[in-house]
Amino acid sequence: MAEKEFKLPDVGEGVAEGELVNWLVAPGDTVTEDQPVAEVETDKALVEVPSPYNGTVKQLHAEEGQMVPVGDVIVTYDVPEEGDDASGEPAGEEPAATDPEASADTDADAASDGPTADEPATTDSDAGATDEAPEPSSGRVFAPPSARRLARELGVDIAAVEGSGPGGRVTEGDVRAHVETGESEDAGAAGGDSSGPKQVDIGGKKSAVSRKGGDDADGATAEVAAGSAPSSVEAAGRDRTLAVPATRKAAEDAGVDLDDVPTDETRDGEAFVTTEQVEGYAQAVKEAKAAEAEEAAAGGDGADAPARSAAAGNGASASREPESVPYRGVRRTIGQQMENSKYTAPHVTHHDTAVVDELVDVRADLKERAAERDVKLSYMPFVMKALVAGLKEFPYLNSELREDDEEILLKKEYNLGIAVATDAGLMVPVVKDVDEKSIVELAAEVNDLASRARERKVSREEMQGGTFTITNFGAIGGEYATPIINYPETAIMGLGAIDERPVAEDGEVRAAHTLPLSLSIDHRVIDGAEAGQFTNFVMERLENPSLLLLE
């Protein structure tokens, strides 16, 4: 066997470092070339880093959440040398199989001697439930990080899951369907064996935590899953435990002895503990201590424990404890970008309201025609067209200030970023060349980019090159805001909710559809008067959408 070091590659042009968000392998895992070994986040894109070798993971050199410079060693491998078989043993005088297909099968068997990151370790109870464990596929599995993470949490071999996505891509739904099918099959083979620590579902993740000396192990499982504190928690008390660096850090932060965390997973014959199991065990210990303290304060007879437990669940002191949430990944990237923008560009926000009754009517007329082309037509494409018309008339709002060169770059491309709220934070995919596309084409592209952004499938390149940004906070309610410029751009337009509001016209008040607008500008480049003129120009086209035909 030869030892090989793998350095973090350049995962994006001009990127100097990335955050190691998630390890997809652990020490002792057998990996194949091009198999993803880690998820790394740079800027606002999450990418999978593939292995350059076939071999065994010997050591991980970074922890989850750590910023790693490009070129730093992140993994050390044991790689078979020429003349070794897949297991690293010298090859015999005679080949094990002369048939190419048989040889390939033999290699796959040898590579599967140890559990991989996506393959759950085999335990004694598992062996009793099935005669033969499924062998993982030696080919590369196409699956997004979210599906791989779910597979690991549920103990599923991702290679055994049949993908329903494009090109056989495995989705989260495929993983769940595989688990449901497997559970129904295992239920008949398991025979109701309740020996060993129970797997307790805590917050959607599993942890091997059970009540001590309980005759009713299932009752303890239900109690912990429901959030009630068990009277005590059984510690494993091992002499040796394997875990990745991030898990060891989680145990240290939680004040938990890693050897005490129950687990039924193994790596190379040693107990292997995951971060989820550490968190579940720490939570169960915390609840057990709280319950014991509560019982002692009440006299220790335990007769009214259910009532006290209910009282604790209804807003007692435990719920008042602060919770620490990691500030990293997309959230930290957003924070750094917002800080850079706010403390670099002096912001001024101009507010106004457009009366858009005609726009509402035009959109209603065209909505069915767009649906015939399988396109959902919103108001956004009309706003984009009106903004591009305004940017052509007022080019300083489509610019970039280059202080080092002492110049303002007036851009001739009209690439509009569309801010999209996702579970991971705010993402801004960019629609390129808006001035060259029709309303229907823009609607289709916006819908596609927004959908893929929410699924974390939008590429880094698709979030670059913007010249002006739109943020639609009206989609979740609200009228006005002070949006922060997507630096180094010089302006951003915020859209409120289109709704009926009172409007005074010719001395009378009527209900009209209005669109609140909030334009933030970089006051170093754009004056307040120019911001007002630009907004009026855009409003004129939103209030009279037929003018967009002239653009």
Side-chain angles (χ1 to χ4, degrees), residues 401-481:
L401 175 60
R402 297 183 172 179
E403 292 185 271
D404 293 341
D405 298 328
E406 296 184 342
E407 66 181 18
I408 300 171
L409 184 66
L410 303 180
K411 299 181 180 180
K412 302 303 180 181
E413 294 179 327
Y414 302 94
N415 304 330
L416 302 190
I418 309 297
V420 179
T422 73
D423 292 340
L426 193 68
M427 305 184 77
V428 187
V430 177
V431 181
K432 307 289 178 64
D433 303 318
V434 174
D435 57 320
E436 300 176 3
K437 297 173 180 176
S438 69
I439 292 289
V440 174
E441 288 174 331
L442 291 175
E445 189 167 350
V446 168
N447 294 340
D448 173 63
L449 285 172
S451 175
R452 289 193 289 115
R454 295 187 186 98
E455 297 173 359
R456 300 296 302 277
K457 295 180 180 178
V458 66
S459 69
R460 185 172 182 271
E461 290 72 21
E462 290 174 309
M463 294 189 291
Q464 295 178 324
T467 61
F468 186 97
T469 297
I470 307 171
T471 177
N472 182 19
F473 46 80
I476 56 175
E479 296 185 35
Y480 299 100

Side-chain angles (χ1 to χ4, degrees), residues 194-206:
S194 61
S195 62
K198 285 287 182 178
Q199 289 290 325
V200 180
D201 191 348
I202 300 176
K205 299 178 180 180
K206 293 184 178 179

Side-chain angles (χ1 to χ4, degrees), residues 141-158:
V141 178
F142 292 95
S146 58
R148 293 182 180 276
R149 185 180 300 111
L150 180 62
R152 289 194 302 277
E153 292 175 353
L154 299 179
V156 172
D157 176 10
I158 193 77

Side-chain angles (χ1 to χ4, degrees), residues 13 34 54 166 219 251-252 255 331 365 475 506 517:
E13 184 178 354
D34 290 333
N54 294 319
E252 181 180 351
R331 174 52 54 196
D365 291 341
D506 300 326
L517 303 173

